[in-house]
Amino acid sequence: LAAGLERCSALVELDLCATRCGGGLKEVVTRCQALRGLMLSECHLGDVLFAPIAHHLASSNQLTALSLIENKLSVAGAGALGELLSTACELRMFHMHDNNIGDQGAEMLSQGLAQCSQLKVLGLRQIGISDLGLVALIDGALSSGCSSLTHLNVAKNSIGRPGLQQLGAYARRCESLEVLDVHANLLSPHEAQKCLPAGLGIEIHLT
């Protein structure tokens, strides 16, 4: 694949979802100097293979869209990802559902996301966070950096009342927010609804 992309230095979008490029992916990404969109969902890269890719992308970051759904990333991968996001000033869409980064990883992620002032869509479904991880994201990224966010998905985590209350307070402040997905966390839909704002025109997914 890398050899076939030798003459594709102007390629702006690369979709390798559900492929197993493994260690060759870094070479592929290196050859595509003008990348704006990179879709790597279900590539199962893991922390070790992802780190050098993230480091390279961070050095010449023009990304507006990045998908890393289901890539077996953990805390170490979140650290590399935080570095990448810290240079992604033009990023508008970022999905990393189904990666178990936990609360510590969320804190690392938040440091990078704080620089993504143009981000509109943020997908963090089932990334292994609790109230602590969500609050770290709200304090570090959502409140300071992601001022243009329209869609936020934190479904299928372990977020309880304190986290949802903090999220509700953020939603009241974020005038751009249109869709909020919090289904399948610790509270019932009825209890979760009490923590979240009503009458602001935000589409809230509880189930």
Side-chain angles (χ1 to χ4, degrees):
L1 179 58
L5 289 169
E6 277 186 359
R7 290 175 289 181
C8 297
S9 59
L11 192 69
V12 295
E13 184 167 336
L14 185 61
D15 188 338
L16 296 174
C17 292
T19 62
R20 297 293 187 271
C21 293
L25 184 56
K26 181 189 175 184
E27 186 178 357
V28 172
V29 172
T30 301
R31 293 173 188 267
C32 301
Q33 298 293 327
L35 273 183
R36 305 283 285 176
L38 183 57
M39 307 295 123
L40 298 177
S41 298
E42 299 179 52
C43 289
H44 297 184
L45 292 171
D47 298 332
V48 174
L49 290 179
F50 176 68
I53 296 168
H55 181 71
H56 170 75
L57 288 170
S59 67
S60 57
N61 202 333
Q62 306 176 69
L63 291 176
T64 60
L66 176 62
S67 180
L68 294 169
I69 297 170
E70 200 174 321
N71 266 290
K72 298 185 177 180
L73 300 181
S74 65
V75 175
L81 185 53
E83 176 191 358
L84 167 58
L85 292 172
S86 69
T87 65
C89 300
E90 299 181 43
L91 194 67
R92 292 175 175 81
M93 185 276 286
F94 173 52
H95 288 301
M96 68 163 304
H97 307 313
D98 306 305
N99 288 285
N100 190 27
I101 65 169
D103 292 335
Q104 185 180 351
E107 187 170 349
M108 295 175 178
L109 206 64
S110 73
Q111 296 169 13
L113 284 170
Q115 308 305 315
C116 301
S117 60
Q118 298 187 51
L119 191 67
K120 292 186 178 298
V121 179
L122 179 57
L124 302 173
R125 183 190 68 230
Q126 199 164 325
I127 60 169
I129 60 172
S130 69
D131 295 330
L132 293 175
L134 180 61
V135 170
L137 285 164
I138 292 172
D139 290 345
L142 301 182
S143 295
S144 60
C146 307
S147 56
S148 301
L149 202 66
T150 60
H151 292 65
L152 174 61
N153 187 338
V154 292
K156 294 188 177 181
N157 284 293
S158 298
I159 301 166
R161 193 178 308 280
L164 288 181
Q165 286 174 339
Q166 290 272 9
L167 185 58
Y170 164 75
R172 291 183 183 91
R173 300 193 304 270
C174 183
E175 296 181 356
S176 61
L177 193 63
E178 299 173 4
V179 179
L180 178 60
D181 192 339
V182 298
H183 82 273
N185 276 284
L186 296 182
L187 299 185
S188 68
H190 177 70
E191 290 301 313
Q193 189 170 30
K194 293 178 181 179
C195 301
L196 300 170
L200 296 181
I202 300 173
E203 180 183 325
I204 298 177
H205 295 226
L206 298 169
T207 58

